[in-house]
Amino acid sequence: MTSLSPSASASAAEIAHAAQRMLDGELAAFPTETVYGLGADAENPQAVAKIYAAKGRPSNHPVIVHIAPQGDLSYWAAEVPQEARLLIDAFWPGPLTLILKRAAHIADTVSGGQDSIGIRCPSHPVAQALLAAFAAGKPNGQGGVAAPSANKFGQVSPTRAEHVRSEFPEEVAAGMPVLEGGASEVGIESTILDLSRLDRGAGPVLLRPGHISAAQIEAVLGVQVFAPDATAPRASGTLKAHYAPRTALELASDARLRDVAQGLGLPEGKVVVVAYGDRPAALDARVQWQPVPADPARYAQALYGLLRDLDKQGYARIIVQAPPATDDWHAVNDRIGRAAAAFTLDTTDL
């Protein structure tokens, strides 16, 4: 579990206020160990609609329901297979979202109209306190908070409270709470695993890679984890273009970086290179070199905050060194690849 200094953590009164706002059908933003979430009562379709409106999110794009450790998963899911129980014992609370068959009494507003539902239990202490306070305010004690990342749709996810405030100034001015929780420990969104089609012979299917790897899941289940197929349910953050900064982002091979270092094929203006490799001895004056950790977990933790900082500095392009194509870099490659896909670069100037 994430540990926080008192100065970095929301107070009990602030958490209680945010929980009450969501019980009243309003939005609240809060930290998790992955990224900050924009939350609303998962059983209130009008409140969930406010998430979609604030983010500019397509209505058929599902959100994830967050529950407290003491929450009853069977309240949200029509069935909870043994595979889910094994993974919950191994990884909850933590950055793993399970896609299960949705219980009939849960509205499909959280699943983009599908018969499935994405559920996770975050490990961040502020998130857990908020979820517990929210559930305590429900008549049956079963509170779930629908919460995608607290950013405009398709943009870089927030890993600090100030990111959320800068993304949603109007909502904050109108009274939306943004709970402090320090910098997100993981830094990228949760792993999403589909278990909703096991009875049809499909799965487990990895819909989105994350901090918990396919290999770790396979070690628990003792079976192979498959890649998404044509009939896999839609899930958060799986569109081809996503997680993008406002500055054009290019994913570059090592050969391309050698050209960039010499000033070959650059756009007008300055560019920044985000690289885990060594800085070249000679670097063109138009190129800023930004080192990042060569460790995939530390890289992931730093990625979104770095992209947000670079977005403010007026670069013509962010050029990112392609990480190794290995399993331990799978989640980072997924996020950078989707960010780069948001831009169609003019190849005539490369």
Side-chain angles (χ1 to χ4, degrees):
M1 181 180 292
T2 307
S3 61
L4 296 170
S5 65
S7 62
S9 183
S11 68
E14 290 168 333
I15 290 169
H17 172 65
Q20 187 59 54
R21 289 280 293 186
M22 290 192 295
L23 289 166
D24 293 340
E26 301 298 334
L27 303 179
F30 62 98
T32 78
E33 72 279 13
T34 58
V35 299
Y36 277 65
L38 185 64
D41 183 350
E43 293 186 90
N44 183 336
Q46 291 75 31
V48 174
K50 293 178 181 179
I51 295 176
Y52 284 87
K55 284 178 63 73
R57 187 183 183 94
S59 61
N60 67 346
H61 202 56
V63 293
I64 294 169
V65 176
H66 296 66
I67 62 174
Q70 61 270 29
D72 182 4
L73 188 59
S74 62
Y75 178 80
W76 303 93
E79 44 186 271
V80 183
Q82 179 61 19
E83 291 86 344
R85 298 292 184 192
L86 291 170
L87 293 170
I88 287 167
D89 288 344
F91 300 119
W92 278 17
L96 175 66
T97 295
L98 299 177
I99 306 294
L100 303 172
K101 290 183 178 178
R102 177 172 48 82
H105 68 274
I106 302 298
D108 65 5
T109 47
V110 295
S111 56
Q114 301 174 112
D115 64 359
S116 56
I117 186 171
I119 309 174
R120 92 172 183 97
C121 176
S123 64
H124 196 291
V126 172
Q128 290 198 0
L130 175 67
L131 292 166
F134 178 76
K138 285 286 194 174
N140 60 4
Q142 295 298 332
V145 173
S149 55
N151 54 275
K152 298 295 185 179
F153 184 70
Q155 302 296 313
V156 177
S157 299
T159 55
R160 294 182 180 273
E162 58 261 34
H163 298 162
V164 182
R165 291 199 264 299
S166 66
E167 197 91 355
F168 296 104
E170 293 181 7
E171 287 79 4
V172 171
M176 182 182 80
V178 179
L179 297 180
E180 286 282 355
S184 298
E185 185 175 23
V186 173
I188 59 173
E189 301 78 4
S190 62
T191 303
I192 301 181
L193 188 74
D194 177 31
L195 298 176
S196 68
R197 301 171 297 147
L198 294 176
D199 59 347
R200 288 176 267 166
V205 173
L206 184 68
L207 300 183
R208 181 175 71 185
H211 186 69
I212 295 171
S213 68
Q216 289 175 286
I217 294 169
E218 289 172 344
V220 171
L221 297 183
V223 298
Q224 181 182 354
V225 171
F226 297 94
D229 55 274
T231 61
R234 298 184 304 279
S236 295
T238 55
L239 296 180
K240 181 178 181 180
H242 218 79
Y243 313 116
R246 290 173 174 81
T247 307
L249 186 147
E250 174 190 352
L251 194 55
S253 66
D254 288 352
R256 166 68 174 146
L257 286 188
R258 286 192 290 270
D259 286 345
V260 168
Q262 298 174 52
L264 301 176
L266 297 182
E268 292 294 325
K270 291 206 168 211
V271 302
V272 61
V273 170
V274 175
Y276 57 86
D278 294 335
R279 186 185 189 277
L283 196 63
D284 187 275
R286 294 169 292 168
V287 179
Q288 174 70 37
W289 196 267
Q290 174 63 56
V292 286
D295 172 75
R298 292 176 56 224
Y299 188 114
Q301 186 182 50
L303 176 61
Y304 289 158
L306 175 61
L307 290 179
R308 283 179 171 270
D309 288 343
L310 295 179
D311 243 352
K312 302 173 184 176
Q313 296 180 32
Y315 290 110
R317 189 175 301 171
I318 300 169
I319 301 174
V320 179
Q321 180 183 18
T326 55
D327 287 346
D328 55 343
W329 284 93
H330 188 191
V332 169
N333 274 311
D334 175 82
R335 302 311 191 273
I336 297 173
R338 294 181 196 276
F343 302 97
T344 302
L345 298 176
D346 182 359
T347 57
T348 62
D349 66 4
L350 298 183

